Amino acid sequence: MRIAIVHEWMDTYAGSERVLEQMLALFPDADLFTICDFLPDDERAFLRGKVPTISFIQRLPRARKWFRYYLGLMPLAVEQFDLSGYDLVISSNHAVAKGALTGPATLHVSYVHSPMRYAWDLQHQYLRQSGLDRGIKGALTRLLLARLRLWDHASSARPDVILANSAWIAERIRKAWRRESTVVHPPVDVEGFPYRPSKGEAYVIASRLVAYKRVDLVAEAFRAMPDRKLIIAGDGAEMPKVRAAAGDAPNITILGRVPQAELVALLQSARAFLYPAEEDFGIGMVEAQACGTPLIAFRRGGAADIVRDGETGVLFPEQSAASIADAVRRFETLSIAPEACRANAERFSNDVFRDRLLHAIRTACAARGMPGP
């Protein structure tokens, strides 16, 4: 089979690039297409020497720094890729990749990290956080998002098969696009987070300090529980708010950004790992479970796919300090086995992802009466 992979854009090795890495491991001879490629040289190893086909956006003024400002042109850009000679097209989508044009003989399988968040249910949150909820710039942005919403819905009919990265995203796909999807959880490098059964006394949260992560709520909860230790690792724009929520509580330690080795050690020794954000999936939760560490997480989003409530962690119903504190107290009444946490994490390994992706593609090929890869 001639296979093409369409990826959104590449400027750093992050969550969607981990998915792309496993797709390339599964299909090393596939051709790669992407809106733009600004990956640093020291982050390109996962591409296995592959040079992607890029769009015209790569050549626009100051694209390296400002390519996201060309979002309104990205639907046009992805439609310019000539995929007519391919038997199988796999798109990795969180914005426009699933809008690639294919012919009737081509099977298009789209792995969806999320529908275009800022154009659908998170539009108002995005506008507020960007300071675009009023004024002329805000009005123009709303107009752009309205047009993107129309294109996003229309182009959602182009893939033959849609794979969602969690049950939460499957629901968002159903709501935004009126399409059904199959859940294939994203890959997690569980081997990079070795199992350790012995745990310390401190609870841990490790996260970028941005508004939707709600790390301030965890700090507020533990400020009211002075007999329990909390370690906060991470940095970002919300650091002043997190420090204010923690106050001068002696039981709370704020480390800032930590190296990878120190992060792994924190996850291995944590009494439990806290996750108050509503995430599409939440790779950090699986990494903590791989270390044998229980989770205390917000029930909505990907956590519902990851946490086995009462067995590998505790889910809490509201994003509030009181709900987090109640969950901590409930957790302390349970006996959660570290080996159960590790076994749970194995469900999301790189090998499992590749197997499930290949099975979904072969099933789709069989349904069309075409040979599979």
Side-chain angles (χ1 to χ4, degrees):
M1 300 184 76
R2 288 200 65 199
I3 301 173
I5 298 174
V6 183
H7 186 67
E8 219 79 75
W9 53 73
M10 298 191 298
D11 68 324
T12 187
Y13 178 71
S16 63
E17 284 70 34
R18 298 186 192 192
V19 172
L20 175 60
E21 179 177 18
Q22 297 307 314
M23 289 178 175
L24 292 173
L26 194 58
F27 304 113
D29 296 326
D31 294 328
L32 177 60
F33 295 78
T34 186
I35 296 292
C36 52
D37 175 14
F38 296 117
L39 267 177
D41 289 341
D42 61 353
E43 296 184 14
R44 304 187 69 84
F46 78 97
L47 293 178
R48 301 164 176 252
K50 198 173 293 293
V51 177
T53 299
I54 54 177
S55 77
F56 66 84
I57 287 179
Q58 181 93 10
R59 299 182 293 275
L60 294 179
R62 300 191 180 184
R64 177 176 294 273
K65 184 177 181 180
W66 290 353
F67 70 88
R68 287 179 177 83
Y69 288 96
Y70 293 120
L71 178 64
L73 294 175
M74 288 185 185
L76 174 63
V78 80
E79 291 174 347
Q80 302 314 301
F81 293 140
D82 183 4
L83 304 173
S84 58
Y86 293 94
D87 304 297
L88 171 65
V89 170
I90 307 168
S91 58
S92 175
N93 180 86
H94 60 77
V96 300
K98 58 101 175 60
L101 300 176
T102 62
T106 302
L107 175 65
H108 181 181
V109 176
S110 186
Y111 186 84
V112 177
H113 307 274
S114 174
M116 201 179 290
R117 302 175 184 91
Y118 30 82
W120 293 97
D121 52 310
L122 298 183
Q123 172 185 286
H124 302 293
Q125 176 181 321
Y126 165 78
L127 292 171
R128 283 194 303 271
Q129 292 176 356
S130 304
L132 295 171
D133 51 342
R134 59 179 61 85
I136 295 176
K137 285 186 179 180
L140 292 174
T141 303
R142 289 175 190 273
L143 178 61
L144 170 64
L145 294 178
R147 295 186 64 179
L148 284 173
R149 205 156 40 244
L150 292 173
W151 180 89
D152 192 50
H153 185 272
S155 63
S156 70
R158 295 176 187 174
D160 299 289
V161 175
I162 294 179
L163 307 177
N165 80 345
S166 68
W168 179 249
I169 293 304
E171 286 297 325
R172 294 185 66 201
I173 288 169
R174 187 177 296 112
K175 183 74 171 180
W177 299 344
R178 304 302 180 187
R179 291 287 306 269
E180 295 300 317
S181 58
T182 300
V183 174
V184 175
H185 295 117
V188 181
D189 180 21
V190 295
E191 298 308 316
F193 293 82
Y195 171 69
R196 183 190 292 174
S198 59
K199 302 298 170 187
E201 296 181 358
Y203 293 85
V204 171
I205 179 168
S207 170
R208 288 182 296 118
L209 302 187
V210 294
Y212 86 93
K213 295 288 190 178
R214 302 316 311 265
V215 178
D216 58 306
L217 294 179
V218 177
E220 182 183 343
F222 276 81
R223 186 178 181 180
M225 297 186 292
D227 55 332
R228 296 171 175 88
K229 295 180 181 179
L230 173 68
I231 297 175
I232 300 173
D235 202 358
E238 291 284 293
M239 177 64 85
K241 187 173 183 179
V242 172
R243 290 193 182 278
D248 56 358
N251 61 314
I252 300 176
T253 302
I254 301 177
L255 299 177
R257 191 185 304 273
V258 299
Q260 180 69 10
E262 187 175 344
L263 172 63
V264 173
L266 281 172
L267 296 183
Q268 288 176 321
S269 63
R271 186 173 182 180
F273 184 69
L274 291 125
Y275 213 94
E278 178 187 308
E279 291 280 12
D280 299 337
F281 181 66
I283 287 174
M285 287 184 277
V286 179
E287 293 170 341
Q289 294 266 273
C291 295
T293 300
L295 298 172
I296 300 174
F298 180 44
R299 185 181 298 277
R300 290 180 66 182
D305 284 22
I306 297 169
V307 182
R308 289 173 166 165
D309 195 21
E311 297 179 17
T312 69
V314 170
L315 294 170
F316 56 89
E318 297 177 359
Q319 286 180 310
S320 68
S323 189
I324 293 170
D326 287 344
V328 170
R329 286 188 282 267
R330 181 188 166 213
F331 165 75
E332 292 175 350
T333 68
L334 300 173
S335 179
I336 293 178
E339 59 269 22
C341 297
R342 175 69 187 194
N344 187 43
E346 296 287 354
R347 298 188 294 132
F348 307 101
S349 70
N350 291 335
D351 289 343
V352 170
F353 171 80
R354 290 195 300 268
D355 288 345
R356 294 201 64 200
L357 177 62
L358 186 59
H359 175 74
I361 291 171
R362 286 176 170 169
T363 300
C365 288
R368 287 173 62 109
M370 61 187 291

